[in-house]
Amino acid sequence: ITEHLFDLLKKYRIRDCVLSVGYLKEKIKEHFGDGSKIGMNVSYVEDDEPLGTAGPLRLAKKYLKDSFIVSNGDELKNINIPRMFRLHKRKDALATIALTTVDDPSHYGVARLDGSRIIEFVEKPANPPSNLINAGFYILEPEVIDMIPDGFAMLERDVFPKLAKMGRLRGFPFAGQWFDIGNMERYQMAEKKWKGIVSVEEED
């Protein structure tokens, strides 16, 4: 799965990557090393105890001096990153969240939007305000790191609501493939349907 994410980054000439590793970290580090054998430049931050989706960014702060991408590691996704980045900059966002459409959004955090501005996420709603869910792929500005509480912290719960209140949280709906592989059923579905990352040339 991680290599598919690397394929997405390499498609847009993004080579520098920081992997947050915890469980089975030695196996992961042994597999990827410094990333040179797969055309990436990989650094690591290690959390000895779970730090959530936000905590590891504090550990990686020295690497994150400019706009940066954060991605969950348990999803397959095909996103036009330059287009997302242009929206992020044009709207002066502190965070932009990639949003994908699902038939049944009631199992996910669902975005309530005003234009591209995210007003809030409604968690696992009975009556979803839209079919757009958090795709686990973000563009963030470095100052967001200072808003992360110490210890275990979640971007979705501890950071994004603050940014939404400030009017600095944007959503980027995309039409590319997206698969959540969080359980065996979804994993098997992705195995059947995932088309891989096509190059920019193939896309054109």
Side-chain angles (χ1 to χ4, degrees), residues 12 14 79-88 139 172:
Y12 297 110
I14 299 165
I79 296 171
N80 187 316
I81 298 173
R83 197 172 289 162
M84 182 174 174
F85 185 64
R86 285 194 294 273
L87 172 87
H88 175 77
I139 295 175
F172 176 76

Side-chain angles (χ1 to χ4, degrees), residues 118-164:
I118 295 175
I119 300 165
E120 64 172 341
F121 272 99
V122 187
E123 203 54 48
K124 299 184 174 60
N127 300 303
S130 74
N131 275 41
L132 291 167
I133 66 161
N134 179 347
F137 190 94
Y138 319 118
I139 295 175
L140 305 181
E141 292 303 312
E143 51 260 55
V144 171
I145 299 170
D146 295 326
M147 301 170 74
I148 298 169
D150 289 334
F152 184 92
M154 299 294 285
L155 285 169
E156 303 83 346
R157 189 187 63 221
D158 300 312
V159 179
F160 291 156
K162 292 180 198 165
L163 295 174

Side-chain angles (χ1 to χ4, degrees), residues 10-11 94 174 203:
K10 286 191 288 187
K11 173 178 176 174
L94 285 176
F174 71 99
E203 216 173 49

